[in-house]
Amino acid sequence: MTLRPLIALAALVPLFAGAADNQHFGLRADIPLEQTSPAPSLKPVLKETGRQALNYVNQPPLIPHKVQGYQITQSTNRCLQCHDVDNYLTTGAPRVSPTHFTDRDGVVQPHVAPRRYLCLQCHVTQADVKPPVENDFAGLGQFAHD
């Protein structure tokens, strides 16, 4: 590439940068990118409805209750107080899946493996909200009802 096209390209860069400054993106609505947007309020979580249908194969089950304030640290996991194999029979909560006891080397552990310990990375509560963008997503038919 010769020097002349590079200079022309360099002259255009400020034009594109200026155009990006006036755009608004995604959920930020009318708040420009250079401004800090306020945190959205917490949405109402659906009342405990039991187990909800899955929408796709290997989807982590949804949490049918509030988890605000649940602590998950190296020494405590609020989720396991009800869902651990030692507790689920007395609490009536679903038992932690056996897959959660296998470490990354395939070795079965006597406790939840570290890679599955942070429950809220995969399992989320179901809130009663309108989707942020319209979509026509449909689950996998009969699988969603199994």
Side-chain angles (χ1 to χ4, degrees):
M1 190 171 226
T2 63
L3 188 56
R4 183 169 284 172
L6 288 175
I7 292 172
L9 183 61
L12 292 175
V13 168
L15 296 175
F16 291 117
D21 288 341
N22 297 327
Q23 293 181 0
H24 305 289
F25 297 95
L27 300 176
R28 295 181 63 86
D30 59 348
I31 301 171
L33 291 174
E34 59 274 355
Q35 292 182 12
T36 301
S37 62
S41 61
L42 294 174
K43 305 301 182 204
V45 174
L46 294 175
K47 302 281 186 213
E48 292 195 33
T49 57
R51 298 185 85 168
Q52 297 183 3
L54 301 180
N55 293 308
Y56 56 89
V57 177
N58 294 327
Q59 173 188 345
L62 297 172
I63 302 171
H65 57 79
K66 291 182 179 183
V67 294
Q68 183 180 356
Y70 274 35
Q71 248 188 18
I72 299 178
T73 66
Q74 200 169 14
S75 60
T76 185
N77 182 327
R78 174 66 176 89
C79 301
L80 295 178
Q81 289 179 6
C82 294
H83 296 277
D84 199 12
V85 294
D86 296 333
N87 305 331
Y88 81 98
L89 288 174
T90 57
T91 63
R95 178 183 49 81
V96 174
S97 169
T99 60
H100 288 52
F101 294 89
T102 306
D103 68 12
R104 66 179 168 184
D105 297 322
V107 177
V108 177
Q109 303 290 320
H111 48 77
V112 173
R115 69 181 185 152
R116 299 290 184 102
Y117 187 75
L118 302 173
C119 309
L120 301 177
Q121 281 187 309
C122 299
H123 301 278
V124 297
T125 56
Q126 185 66 44
D128 188 16
V129 297
K130 180 181 175 227
V133 295
E134 287 199 33
N135 69 73
D136 58 357
F137 175 81
L140 292 177
Q142 183 58 37
F143 175 77
H145 302 291
D146 290 342

